[in-house]
Amino acid sequence: MNQAPTDRTRIRRVANNAHYDSATLHAIIDDAYLCHIAFSEGKGAHCIPTACWREHDHLYIHGSNGSRMVKRLLESECCVTITHLDGLVLARSAFSHSMNYRSAMVYGRFEKVEDAGARQAMEAFMERIVPGRQADVRPGSDKEYAATTVLRISLAEAACKVRSGGPKDDEEDLSWPAWAGVLPWTRTALAPEPAPDCGIEAPVYVRDWQRGA
Amino acid sequence: MNQAPTDRTRIRRVANNAHYDSATLHAIIDDAYLCHIAFSEGKGAHCIPTACWREHDHLYIHGSNGSRMVKRLLESECCVTITHLDGLVLARSAFSHSMNYRSAMVYGRFEKVEDAGARQAMEAFMERIVPGRQADVRPGSDKEYAATTVLRISLAEAACKVRSGGPKDDEEDLSWPAWAGVLPWTRTALAPEPAPDCGIEAPVYVRDWQRGA
């Protein structure tokens, strides 16, 4: 059923931006809170955003037992993609404009994480989202865990594509009198917004939010 | 070939976060520089990130004539998804944690934009990326335009899902002694990075970058 890994993950366009090492892949996943998952159904495909996290060489997601996505992902191959957009690249020529980005694509099939493994994974998810939070919250009940499916996919068949740095104009365009360079972005934390009915003092992970995110 | 729009775009999970109006859809697309496109091929699906922009009731992308994605998108149905993550939602109970986000999904088939329409669309793309930039750059040549395919997809079959605001704990969890609220983010511009070989003074759209992005 699987194609050979090199068929699905070999990057064809701008192949010198391709990376196939775990360090690049893990860093891209660990900087993300969500992924987009493509899966086929009937005559078309769906592209669903969902929260994700990594443990070792697997990417994890979760969903309600009854969700269409959970059912389909257990039945068929999919493609999981994460993309971070880092900046706009302004070149002298219109067609040399680009964007700086880091993207990862994972191909394969999700498997269900059972019982104790699912609990451990959901706790790891919380720890990933907000380190230290797990100890403060009302833990999941047996009923809540029973209604939730945790899925994971191996990172064995994956590829990354990364563009960074300045514009690359053709030699003959370098003298064109246009500013050239990068307009970069970053994700910045804003002030925490306590719920109106929250009388609890902000814990350290909330106070650190604005500095650390 | 198409399913009825309501079948593909009807939101089933947390349906009260669903929006089907153009204003919500346009705002989500216009705040994005890229989308993820899912399309089927053989036994599986691909999820490809690519730059996008909107004009009226179409979403536009572009690619090299020879790219696999361009070929497949002209042949088959796809799903285009844009997701903005706005913050982490910390509830008292572990399973009531959530994220604030704005997502849009568009179903349909891309069509090729021909000749003068393609040129006009690529200029609109530049104007969308950096207003004012078009006048400064070396314009695309006939050869460059001929090697590039511009595609567009109707926004007629689309749905949005938006979560905003604070945590929603069950009544019996409200007294649990955990801080509750939102840890929000935003995208922030960083200082422009001129190319080392750029001797041109920064134009107004570059000087404005840090304020306006």
Side-chain angles (χ1 to χ4, degrees):
Chain A
M1 181 85 188
N2 278 301
Q3 297 178 285
T6 48
D7 275 2
R8 285 203 292 196
T9 59
R10 184 171 50 85
I11 288 172
R12 305 155 200 216
R13 295 275 147 196
V14 199
N16 54 351
N17 287 344
H19 298 263
Y20 299 96
D21 62 293
S22 292
T24 301
L25 177 64
H26 291 180
I28 290 170
I29 298 173
D30 293 350
D31 197 29
Y33 290 88
L34 66 81
C35 59
H36 286 82
I37 305 182
F39 58 96
S40 298
E41 191 181 42
K43 293 175 185 130
H46 301 283
C47 184
I48 311 277
T50 194
C52 67
W53 69 103
R54 183 183 68 85
E55 288 181 70
H56 308 294
D57 290 316
H58 286 86
L59 179 142
Y60 287 72
I61 63 169
H62 76 296
S64 295
N65 293 349
S67 91
R68 176 183 62 178
M69 183 179 75
V70 165
K71 288 179 199 162
R72 293 293 169 274
L73 291 181
L74 290 171
E75 290 166 358
S76 60
E77 296 291 300
C78 72
C79 175
V80 182
T81 300
I82 290 169
T83 310
H84 304 287
L85 190 60
D86 295 324
L88 305 174
V89 181
L90 275 53
R92 281 88 171 179
S93 105
F95 276 71
S96 294
H97 281 61
S98 188
M99 294 183 186
N100 281 339
Y101 61 88
R102 294 162 286 138
S103 73
M105 297 177 70
V106 180
Y107 285 93
R109 187 180 296 206
F110 277 92
E111 61 182 343
K112 191 173 174 180
V113 181
E114 305 282 358
D115 305 329
R119 288 188 181 236
Q120 185 274 325
M122 288 297 285
E123 290 181 5
F125 179 34
M126 180 71 83
E127 188 61 20
R128 163 78 188 86
I129 295 287
V130 185
R133 178 72 177 163
Q134 188 69 42
D136 291 351
V137 299
R138 197 270 284 159
S141 66
D142 289 349
K143 191 179 162 191
E144 287 168 333
Y145 275 108
T148 302
T149 303
V150 177
L151 302 174
R152 69 176 197 172
I153 189 171
S154 164
L155 300 179
E157 192 178 349
C160 302
K161 203 167 173 184
V162 177
R163 193 202 187 283
S164 60
K168 290 170 192 145
D169 274 299
D170 291 341
E171 187 69 29
E172 62 267 29
D173 290 322
L174 288 175
S175 59
W176 189 275
W179 186 88
V182 177
L183 302 180
W185 288 293
T186 191
R187 187 171 60 200
T188 310
L190 298 172
E193 298 167 355
D197 57 354
C198 173
I200 306 287
E201 197 184 343
V204 63
Y205 51 81
V206 172
R207 297 198 306 272
D208 284 349
W209 173 252
Q210 219 161 344
R211 276 174 279 161
Chain B
M1 181 88 187
N2 278 300
Q3 295 177 285
T6 48
D7 276 2
R8 286 204 290 197
T9 59
R10 184 171 50 85
I11 288 172
R12 305 155 199 215
R13 295 276 147 195
V14 199
N16 54 352
N17 287 344
H19 297 263
Y20 300 95
D21 61 292
S22 292
T24 301
L25 177 64
H26 291 180
I28 290 171
I29 297 173
D30 293 350
D31 198 30
Y33 290 89
L34 65 81
C35 60
H36 286 83
I37 306 182
F39 57 97
S40 297
E41 191 180 43
K43 292 175 184 127
H46 301 283
C47 185
I48 311 278
T50 195
C52 68
W53 69 103
R54 183 182 67 84
E55 288 180 72
H56 308 294
D57 290 316
H58 285 86
L59 180 142
Y60 287 72
I61 64 169
H62 76 295
S64 295
N65 292 350
S67 92
R68 176 183 63 177
M69 183 179 75
V70 166
K71 288 179 199 162
R72 293 293 167 274
L73 291 181
L74 290 171
E75 290 166 358
S76 60
E77 296 291 301
C78 72
C79 175
V80 181
T81 302
I82 290 169
T83 311
H84 303 287
L85 191 60
D86 294 325
L88 305 174
V89 182
L90 275 53
R92 282 88 171 179
S93 105
F95 276 71
S96 293
H97 281 62
S98 188
M99 294 183 186
N100 281 339
Y101 61 88
R102 293 162 286 139
S103 73
M105 298 176 71
V106 180
Y107 286 93
R109 188 181 295 207
F110 278 92
E111 61 181 342
K112 190 173 174 180
V113 180
E114 305 283 357
D115 305 328
R119 287 188 181 235
Q120 186 274 326
M122 288 296 286
E123 290 180 5
F125 179 33
M126 180 72 83
E127 189 62 18
R128 163 77 188 88
I129 294 287
V130 185
R133 178 71 177 163
Q134 187 70 41
D136 291 351
V137 299
R138 197 271 284 160
S141 65
D142 289 350
K143 190 178 163 191
E144 287 168 334
Y145 275 108
T148 301
T149 304
V150 177
L151 303 174
R152 69 177 198 172
I153 188 170
S154 164
L155 300 180
E157 192 178 348
C160 302
K161 204 167 174 184
V162 177
R163 193 202 186 283
S164 59
K168 291 170 191 143
D169 275 299
D170 290 341
E171 187 69 28
E172 62 266 30
D173 290 322
L174 288 174
S175 59
W176 188 275
W179 187 88
V182 177
L183 302 180
W185 287 295
T186 191
R187 186 170 62 199
T188 310
L190 297 173
E193 298 167 355
D197 56 355
C198 173
I200 306 287
E201 198 184 342
V204 62
Y205 51 81
V206 172
R207 298 198 306 271
D208 283 350
W209 172 252
Q210 219 160 345
R211 276 175 281 162

